Amino acid sequence: MNKIRKALLPVAGHGTRFLPASKATPKEMLPIIDKPLVQFAVEEAIEIGIEEIIFIISPHKHSIKKHFDFSKSIEKKLIESNKKDFLEKANPENFKDLKFTYINQDEQKGLGHAILLAKDYILDEPFAILLPDDLFFSSCLAQLSEIYHETNNSVIAVNRIDSKNIHKYGVIDPGSINDRFIEIKSIVEKPKPEEAPSDIAVCGRYILNSSIFNYLEETSPDKSNEIQLTDAIKLMLKDEKISACIYKGEKFDCGSKQGYVEATISISLRDNEIKDDIKNYIKQLKI
Ligand code: UTP
């Protein structure tokens, strides 16, 4: 069985939709209550036994590296001030066995370009990609991993999208469908609503065979001069089968203001410390 050991987290984007918050703080470090978005993605990767997290990072996003570094000074302060309950939050146990690798993307030339930078780090094994903007409540990667091991084909996560929003996503042309996954016939990046081949859009989790790097190298930049992962997947489909897995569970697009607020409300309603107060607060709102 081909074990998936490495996960790529592209976090070099500009985060324009979250200005001014993203001016000095990477969008991926914005918290949902007390945990940055990027940590949710790392924890999801840990759930399927990933051993190495490879960040594609923009050189000024130091705080992401700092966040995942073991902090001796915080540990010391927490022990001295008898706040040991916070030790696990500051330096989670399950980060200690993980290898963190950082690759700089100096110019933001698109998601496909960011992924291609990891070619020499992945070599010839299957790997996962997680876009931290998308927050999944039950592990999406675990659902993909099951299908990957059953089919040995690359597999990407999808969900159904309202037609008014379909132009924001990669959209698949579905072939045969069974109760677990869909065969992808083709894929198109950000189609006009009237040209979308379906209402089934790609969401930010992938398990890909390393052959994707050959197709990324062949992919031409789009109108905005960015190399799109979707375009490389489209080329790959000419030679290889790729499955789509309809994610079962709750998902939030935290790259948009609406998704970010919805995720915050939803997580607050699961947090034992604050959920009753938040429920009462919502009930008394005169909407
Ligand atoms: P987005 O399309 O959401 O772009 O990227 P963005 O720059 O983060 O946000 P907006 O649209 O300007 O508000 C999807 C993912 O791909 C990464 C981003 O960091 C995000 O995780 N990305 C995008 C890169 O790593 N490099 C790029 O050149 C582009």
Side-chain angles (χ1 to χ4, degrees):
M1 191 194 281
N2 258 342
K3 187 163 170 11
I4 297 146
R5 298 188 309 118
K6 298 178 183 176
L8 276 191
L9 275 74
V11 294
H14 293 298
T16 321
R17 284 168 295 165
F18 266 91
L19 282 169
S22 57
K23 197 172 165 191
T25 305
K27 175 180 71 170
E28 300 78 10
M29 283 301 291
L30 295 179
I32 304 294
I33 308 188
D34 55 3
K35 192 188 285 185
L37 268 173
V38 66
Q39 186 171 337
F40 286 93
V42 168
E43 288 174 356
E44 191 182 330
I46 291 172
E47 256 188 70
I48 68 153
I50 291 288
E51 296 162 13
E52 180 175 1
I53 302 286
I54 304 174
F55 288 105
I56 313 297
I57 198 163
S58 142
H60 71 271
K61 293 192 176 180
H62 318 283
S63 57
I64 294 183
K65 185 169 186 307
K66 196 167 174 198
H67 182 74
F68 290 101
D69 277 349
F70 183 88
S71 172
K72 270 197 178 148
S73 62
I74 295 182
E75 184 169 274
K76 190 166 169 274
K77 273 184 215 145
L78 288 172
I79 292 171
E80 281 167 4
S81 54
N82 210 13
K83 290 183 179 160
K84 291 189 186 150
D85 291 354
F86 289 90
L87 281 174
E88 171 59 22
K89 286 201 170 182
N91 291 320
E93 203 51 44
N94 58 4
F95 289 179
K96 289 183 184 153
D97 297 329
L98 266 188
K99 179 175 178 198
F100 292 100
T101 300
Y102 299 87
I103 302 172
N104 276 340
Q105 187 189 27
D106 294 318
E107 263 186 283
Q108 280 59 49
K109 294 187 194 163
L111 177 59
H113 176 263
I115 288 163
L116 188 52
L117 293 172
K119 183 182 177 196
D120 294 339
Y121 294 77
I122 301 288
L123 298 173
D124 58 357
E125 49 187 301
F127 64 102
I129 301 173
L130 299 95
L131 307 186
D133 277 9
D134 277 335
L135 175 59
F136 297 87
F137 273 170
S138 44
S139 174
C140 181
L141 211 51
Q143 294 176 20
L144 294 191
S145 161
E146 225 178 82
I147 293 172
Y148 178 82
H149 286 120
E150 191 177 316
T151 61
N152 258 321
N153 298 328
S154 297
V155 52
I156 64 186
V158 292
N159 61 353
R160 291 191 190 271
I161 293 285
D162 248 336
S163 62
K164 70 175 195 299
N165 285 320
I166 203 83
H167 63 284
K168 300 177 185 165
Y169 298 91
V171 180
I172 67 163
D173 183 4
S176 63
I177 301 184
N178 67 30
D179 57 341
R180 314 236 352 272
F181 55 87
I182 304 170
E183 185 199 330
I184 304 177
K185 282 203 298 196
S186 189
I187 190 164
V188 52
E189 179 68 12
K190 300 192 173 82
K192 290 183 187 150
E194 63 277 15
E195 286 168 12
S198 72
D199 63 347
I200 305 172
V202 176
C203 43
R205 300 292 182 269
Y206 310 71
I207 292 179
L208 298 177
N209 285 323
S210 58
S211 54
I212 188 68
F213 293 115
N214 303 332
Y215 300 100
L216 280 167
E217 278 169 341
E218 282 174 31
T219 303
S220 314
D222 65 5
K223 280 180 272 172
S224 339
N225 211 22
E226 292 193 349
I227 295 177
Q228 297 299 345
L229 175 61
T230 307
D231 292 338
I233 290 175
K234 188 174 177 174
L235 291 179
M236 191 176 181
L237 276 165
K238 294 194 174 134
D239 304 317
E240 289 184 33
K241 277 190 178 173
I242 305 179
S243 313
C245 160
I246 297 207
Y247 170 68
K248 293 179 190 71
E250 265 183 283
K251 178 226 157 198
F252 298 92
D253 175 3
C254 296
S256 74
K257 287 193 240 183
Q258 183 186 338
Y260 184 81
V261 174
E262 286 173 0
T264 306
I265 295 170
S266 200
I267 292 210
S268 73
L269 293 175
R270 288 156 199 251
D271 184 324
N272 287 334
E273 208 181 306
I274 57 172
K275 70 179 180 194
D276 292 335
D277 289 335
I278 299 295
K279 268 186 211 162
N280 289 335
Y281 173 71
I282 293 171
K283 272 188 213 149
Q284 59 83 46
L285 285 176
K286 310 234 174 341
I287 310 169

